[in-house]
Amino acid sequence: MTPTPGQASDATPDPDALQPLLPADPSALAGYRLLGRLGAGGMGVVYLGRTDTGALAAVKVTHADQADQADFRARFRREVEAARRVVSPWAVPVTGADPDAPEPWMATAFVPGPSLGEAVRAHGPLPERSARILGGAVARALAAVHAAGLVHRDVKPGNVLLAVDGPRLIDFGIARATGETGLTSTDMVVGTPGFLAPEQAEARAADIGPAADVFALGCLLAFAATGRPPFGSGALDALLYRTVHDEPDLAGVPEGLLDLVRQCLAKEPSARPTAEEIAGRLTEDTPGAPADWLPAPVVATIAARSAAMLALPDIDPTAPGTDPAGPAAPAPSRRGFLLLGASAAAVLAAGGGAYALLRQREDTDGKNPAPTTRTTWSIGVLADLSGPAREIGRAQERGARLAVERFNAVHKGKPFTLELKVSDDRGDRAGAFAAARRLTSDPSVLAVLGPTSDDTGIAALPAFEEAGVPLLTTSAGYHLLTLRAGSGPQNTTVLRAIPSHFMAGTFLAWSTTLLPQVRHPGVLQERTDDNYSWQYVSGARYGFRQAGLKPHFRVVPGRATDYRRIIGEMIDAGIDTYIHCGVRSTAVLAARALNELGFTGPRFTGQHVFGPQFLKEAGSAAEGWFVCAPVIDPVQRAADPKQKAADRKLTQDFLDAHRKRYGTTPAFYTGESFDVVNLVTTWLATSAGKGPLTRKGLWQALRTQKYTGAMGGYSFDKDADLAGVGTFLYGVQKGAYKYLGPAPGGPANTKSATSKKS
């Protein structure tokens, strides 16, 4: 199936982000003076326009190459006709259009307010009264849509604008006449996953009617009241699956709205109320005095945007296209001056650091080589040292520090020494970019170990891409760190020294096939960390398919706590093995429930559960679990007679160095971090005499390395992902993890692939 989100071009961006017109843009169109760009995409451009009377409009103009396609022009004409058929004070009206122009265009009234999505992200969920007013107004708009014989099909937070006198429904780009299916492919999902009905998620075109909009309205109300979609977020396939099969997560929906939202979210279209019925149930809540229906912060946002509209430049005294009475140059606007002043102030405030970054960019562009006189270079560590994953982050820092100290001891008296520079991102996505910039703006930093978590990695990645600094991770498995979606740029920044979560899920599934009694595994996906769990489930699904097994899948919200009921239902379905695709806290709940229910089958889980905290929190309920993780216990590896003597010595040397430096046995992830930094320093040592060291070309050089360290061998494929397996199996015995060996590289009854570390 191919999900097709609705066009978002009618949405109103922040006027502060209004972009100037480009030289190729028209200055006027059909009576609208164009003031700037509101947005642009592959389909066309949306301009902010103004009539001679001062009325503002969002003017959408399609690209000429799109207009040359007969089906596109037909869709655009249908959008115009659909929008014109809807008459409601709660729907944004069309103020002009020409679908037959060389570049078809349509203008709608401009609403200088945020979308519901923007408002909730910036200021949090709406109070109950605001949500009720919102629902009533959107229901009235939908009632008008349905009365016109249409189905909107893309009711979502981005398509509802907030104004002082009430909300406005926008974007009829994928609206259809009721019962119309001829222009929709039977296998195409139309709408926005997370805000569409089960019949849309399954592409049942014949069943998509007004009730689908009501389901979306239920999702919209839940989002407005709680700040999150009722079926979670993450991968599109996961959202579609949960929409069809899972119950919505309505925790936090006010009691006064709960029954109505539940009725809207009924799986069967016939069980949902009509938009008109919903409007009738919410009639007591309509906006009174302007703006009294919204929280004060949202009203302030609307006021600020309205003021920005008043500050836009006046219409030229001469009509566009005519010669003014002289060649005087345009005076700079106060707005432009303020923007220029702010930019200059930011650069000056950055001081020497900004200048150093500029020099570093010059040094690495090939035109101005880095100076050869530098005597100190740095390896950076970006890690969670004080947040939720601080145990892993601190282990990573210790491993990196040991590697840097080893380099300086071995290469004493060489042309340069190494320093370790550490930046704590606190496990906070919001501060991860700034934490990364503290390292990437330092011209001495050649490469960075990190991050500790997926979320901080995604947030920090632009800083590394901008500066050209290689980022090597031993714990972040999110696939988009190395794999770009669609036509996105190719990865030239990250080297991932662990499997992606998808591959880890595949290895987890194959690990279960080592046990001959496994015939009907049960896989639980819980959505606390949705990206992680969905990737693990996707990998497990693939692995079990390869093994010829058909699992029983169950999806639950991250806030679910009644694991006795959830797992009881899975046991009743006949599962003989339990696989937990979720985080540690819910694995603890699952472990206790399995014990209470007397389940005696094998229990498996993955990376986010592995660690001493699971053993501590689950207690005796952890006994007998199998856990797959991307790390090896160095003590067990050093004592493993299956390892070569030389490899055991490398591991023992690492153990001795750690005990000498820190007085303890190393925690998990320390050895892998030690190895990965050694991979970098080994290359630096062999390359120092061949020319000046710079960041330029370092990622490509590291990607081709084949390195054997204390914890095994490392090499990377063309996408800079770890080559081989790299996942290891542990069993919980007597309250401790017992290392059982590398996970199989295929189902147990097939030939296994070569593992990363042997």
Side-chain angles (χ1 to χ4, degrees):
M1 295 185 294
T2 304
T4 304
Q7 302 167 15
S9 53
D10 290 329
T12 306
D14 182 347
D16 286 339
L18 183 69
Q19 299 297 311
L21 297 175
L22 300 179
D25 288 329
S27 59
L29 178 68
Y32 294 92
R33 175 71 168 94
L34 303 185
L35 304 175
R37 285 176 162 231
L38 290 171
M43 309 297 284
V45 181
V46 182
Y47 300 102
L48 178 63
R50 186 161 53 191
T51 66
D52 290 341
T53 62
L56 294 172
V59 184
K60 178 162 64 176
V61 182
T62 62
H63 292 315
D65 57 345
Q66 296 286 345
D68 289 341
Q69 303 173 22
D71 59 339
F72 178 85
R73 192 177 286 274
R75 289 197 302 271
F76 191 88
R77 181 179 291 107
R78 207 165 49 248
E79 177 182 358
V80 173
E81 293 171 352
R84 281 176 164 164
R85 285 164 65 178
V86 177
V87 180
S88 169
W90 311 116
V92 173
V94 174
T95 59
D98 187 355
D100 297 313
E103 292 185 325
W105 63 273
M106 178 175 67
T108 57
F110 182 79
V111 179
S115 69
L116 173 63
E118 289 179 272
V120 169
R121 284 192 298 271
H123 306 297
L126 298 181
E128 180 176 356
R129 179 172 179 270
S130 298
R132 291 178 66 87
I133 292 173
L134 175 90
V138 175
R140 291 178 182 85
L142 288 175
V145 170
H146 301 160
L150 299 170
V151 183
H152 189 284
R153 303 203 307 176
D154 200 23
V155 179
K156 62 182 180 182
N159 280 343
V160 175
L161 303 182
L162 305 183
V164 291
D165 58 346
R168 299 290 191 278
L169 180 66
I170 64 170
D171 198 351
F172 293 85
I174 60 172
R176 291 289 184 273
T178 304
E180 179 185 357
T181 62
L183 293 169
T184 304
S185 170
T186 56
D187 64 350
M188 180 176 290
V189 176
V190 179
T192 301
F195 293 90
L196 43 67
E199 56 268 30
Q200 289 175 283
E202 294 187 312
R204 292 185 274 124
D207 296 333
I208 298 174
D213 287 343
V214 169
F215 189 97
L217 177 57
C219 295
L220 188 86
L221 280 170
F223 174 83
T226 67
R228 62 182 190 279
F231 296 98
S233 58
L236 298 184
D237 287 350
L239 288 173
L240 299 179
Y241 178 89
R242 294 195 297 262
T243 298
V244 175
H245 299 289
D246 199 14
E247 291 303 311
D249 177 6
L250 300 181
V253 175
E255 194 67 31
L257 282 172
L258 192 56
D259 285 344
L260 177 61
V261 171
R262 281 179 176 149
Q263 292 170 29
C264 291
L265 297 181
K267 301 297 184 186
E268 288 299 321
S270 60
R272 302 168 200 153
T274 66
E276 190 171 0
E277 289 170 347
I278 296 170
R281 291 170 66 172
L282 298 174
T283 50
E284 73 276 17
D285 288 315
T286 56
D292 76 342
W293 75 284
L294 286 170
V298 181
V299 176
T301 299
I302 297 173
R305 296 190 177 191
S306 299
M309 292 299 97
L310 295 176
L312 288 170
D314 293 332
I315 297 176
D316 294 339
T318 54
T322 64
D323 292 329
S333 69
R334 177 174 178 272
R335 176 187 180 86
F337 175 80
L338 289 174
L339 288 174
L340 177 62
S343 299
V347 172
L348 290 174
Y355 175 75
L357 178 58
L358 176 61
R359 285 297 305 273
Q360 175 63 21
R361 290 177 179 168
E362 294 171 351
D363 291 345
T364 58
D365 66 3
K367 300 175 183 177
N368 185 12
T372 59
T373 57
R374 180 182 290 279
T375 59
T376 301
W377 291 94
S378 302
I379 299 295
V381 173
L382 176 69
D384 176 3
L385 302 178
S386 57
R390 57 186 175 273
E391 288 81 8
I392 297 175
R394 291 170 182 171
Q396 291 169 328
E397 179 192 4
R398 286 187 171 189
R401 193 171 299 281
L402 282 175
V404 168
E405 291 175 353
R406 175 181 178 272
F407 175 89
N408 288 334
V410 171
H411 299 282
K412 188 174 183 180
K414 295 295 184 181
F416 67 90
T417 58
L418 281 178
E419 291 183 347
L420 192 72
K421 297 197 174 178
V422 180
S423 185
D424 181 7
D425 64 26
R426 305 175 184 272
D428 178 13
R429 182 186 180 99
F433 181 79
R437 285 294 298 271
R438 289 195 289 270
L439 296 172
T440 61
S441 61
D442 183 337
S444 75
V445 174
L446 287 170
V448 173
L449 172 74
T452 303
S453 69
D454 298 332
D455 277 352
T456 55
I458 290 296
L461 187 56
F464 293 93
E465 292 176 328
E466 174 188 85
V469 177
L471 181 65
L472 300 92
T473 181
T474 58
S475 57
Y478 188 35
H479 69 294
L480 288 184
L481 284 169
T482 54
L483 177 66
R484 296 296 186 268
S487 59
Q490 181 182 4
N491 168 46
T492 57
T493 306
V494 179
L495 290 172
R496 186 183 4 240
I498 66 167
S500 68
H501 293 320
F502 175 87
M503 290 309 304
T506 302
F507 300 138
L508 175 64
W510 287 339
S511 294
T512 68
T513 66
L514 294 169
L515 302 176
Q517 69 267 38
V518 176
R519 290 291 178 268
H520 190 203
V523 180
L524 180 81
Q525 176 194 349
E526 66 85 8
R527 304 198 312 259
T528 302
D529 185 339
D530 207 25
N531 287 324
Y532 165 85
S533 60
W534 173 246
Q535 289 176 70
Y536 254 73
V537 166
S538 299
R541 180 181 284 111
Y542 172 80
F544 283 126
R545 188 183 305 125
Q546 295 292 308
L549 297 176
K550 188 175 182 180
H552 172 76
F553 289 99
R554 183 77 163 85
V555 186
V556 298
R559 293 170 180 79
T561 57
D562 188 3
Y563 271 74
R564 185 182 176 93
R565 177 185 61 81
I566 294 166
I567 292 177
E569 292 171 355
M570 297 177 72
I571 294 173
D572 290 342
I575 69 169
D576 57 26
T577 306
Y578 175 77
I579 294 96
H580 188 85
C581 296
V583 299
R584 184 188 70 242
S585 59
T586 55
V588 170
L589 297 177
R592 293 170 180 166
L594 288 163
N595 271 16
E596 292 170 3
L597 293 167
F599 182 77
T600 58
R603 286 143 285 181
F604 285 80
T605 189
Q607 178 184 348
H608 275 15
V609 176
F610 181 71
Q613 285 299 110
F614 174 64
L615 304 180
K616 179 180 178 181
E617 294 171 9
S620 61
E623 200 69 18
W625 276 65
F626 296 96
V627 188
C628 285
V631 289
I632 296 178
D633 183 338
V635 175
Q636 295 189 41
R637 176 178 168 81
D640 186 354
K642 297 178 183 178
Q643 302 297 327
K644 296 178 182 178
D647 291 341
R648 291 203 306 272
K649 185 178 186 308
L650 285 174
T651 309
Q652 189 61 52
D653 288 346
F654 160 68
L655 285 169
D656 293 343
H658 190 280
R659 287 168 178 150
K660 181 179 179 181
R661 177 71 164 82
Y662 296 106
T664 63
T665 299
F668 291 113
Y669 293 95
T670 307
E672 283 71 19
S673 301
F674 174 77
D675 277 353
V676 166
V677 174
N678 275 329
L679 182 152
V680 178
T681 62
T682 299
W683 185 89
L684 294 177
T686 59
S687 303
K690 299 178 181 179
L693 292 176
T694 71
R695 297 168 175 175
K696 187 176 180 65
L698 179 55
W699 178 87
Q700 290 88 343
L702 295 176
R703 190 190 67 77
T704 61
Q705 298 301 298
K706 294 187 183 339
Y707 178 78
T708 299
M711 311 307 290
Y714 296 80
S715 62
F716 303 93
D717 63 20
K718 62 181 179 61
D719 296 318
D721 278 323
L722 184 72
V725 176
T727 294
F728 305 92
L729 185 62
Y730 292 82
V732 181
Q733 297 180 9
K734 299 180 180 180
Y737 291 110
K738 179 176 177 56
Y739 175 63
L740 301 176
N749 59 354
T750 65
K751 185 177 181 180
S752 295
T754 301
S755 67
K756 177 191 81 171
K757 308 168 196 165
S758 56

